[in-house]
Amino acid sequence: MRVYLPATTTVLQRLLDEGRLTGPLTVFTVTPQLRGAYELSEDEEELEYAALIAAARASLRLLDVDPVAVRRRVVLAADVPESTITPIVDEGADAGAARTTADVTTADVASAHIDVAEAEADVRAAVDLVLEADLGSTDAQFVVDQAEGHELAWYATQEIGPALELL
């Protein structure tokens, strides 16, 4: 099953160095909760994009606690066994949030999605305010929206190492 794993450049480097990220891991995927939030859409691609966007928001939260990471959102698209995934059913959880007990290896990763340099200032500002936005601050949400307005660049698995070297 395709999942979107929120990450940082620090996490991405660990994946490259160690060859795996050890489960359990929080991921985003097309869960029944996500389908319910997009009840008018049956387009699987649109639902997967919604999961990717939710993972990108979660990457902002991870950046908030990872002061050494480059201020760019990172999301890994990976395939894990569906039997390892449990949706997070909690009123406060994002639609599409789930846990996987599986390790994610470099072989499981289909692609990486990373902000480009032009997004860095907006991402830096959003990292400082993402928790306030989560708590309902409209001013903070405006700043987060600025960062989320940047499309993530797509990288094939063989491009991940070189992309990290350029950051």
Side-chain angles (χ1 to χ4, degrees):
M1 179 173 206
R2 177 61 48 94
V3 298
Y4 299 91
L5 174 69
T8 65
T9 55
T10 305
V11 172
L12 195 52
Q13 188 62 58
R14 184 170 6 113
L15 172 66
L16 293 180
D17 292 345
E18 299 174 9
R20 76 178 54 252
L21 298 172
T22 305
L25 300 162
T26 299
V27 296
F28 293 81
T29 191
V30 180
T31 62
Q33 293 78 8
L34 185 68
R35 285 188 192 285
Y38 289 84
E39 62 188 45
L40 299 178
S41 176
E42 293 184 21
D43 182 352
E44 200 68 22
E45 215 170 275
E46 183 178 330
L47 293 169
E48 285 189 4
Y49 183 73
L52 170 71
I53 295 305
R57 166 71 69 101
S59 177
L60 286 174
R61 296 179 191 116
L62 293 175
L63 284 167
D64 185 46
V65 295
D66 187 351
V68 299
V70 176
R71 291 324 200 208
R72 298 193 193 183
R73 297 169 298 159
V74 176
V75 176
L76 297 170
D79 296 311
V80 299
E82 188 171 353
S83 63
T84 69
I85 296 174
T86 305
I88 297 173
V89 183
D90 183 310
E91 189 176 306
D94 290 327
R99 297 287 281 168
T100 180
T101 55
D103 291 352
V104 173
T105 67
T106 52
D108 298 325
V109 175
S111 59
H113 305 265
I114 306 170
D115 273 315
V116 295
E118 292 79 21
E120 215 168 303
D122 288 336
V123 169
R124 182 176 285 106
V127 166
D128 292 337
L129 296 172
V130 68
L131 297 179
E132 288 180 44
D134 288 345
L135 295 172
S137 167
T138 55
D139 291 339
Q141 185 60 52
F142 178 79
V143 174
V144 171
D145 288 345
Q146 293 296 112
E148 291 180 338
H150 294 277
E151 288 291 325
L152 298 170
W154 180 91
Y155 294 89
T157 54
Q158 66 271 22
E159 298 173 314
I160 296 172
L164 264 179
E165 289 174 13
L166 293 173
L167 299 179

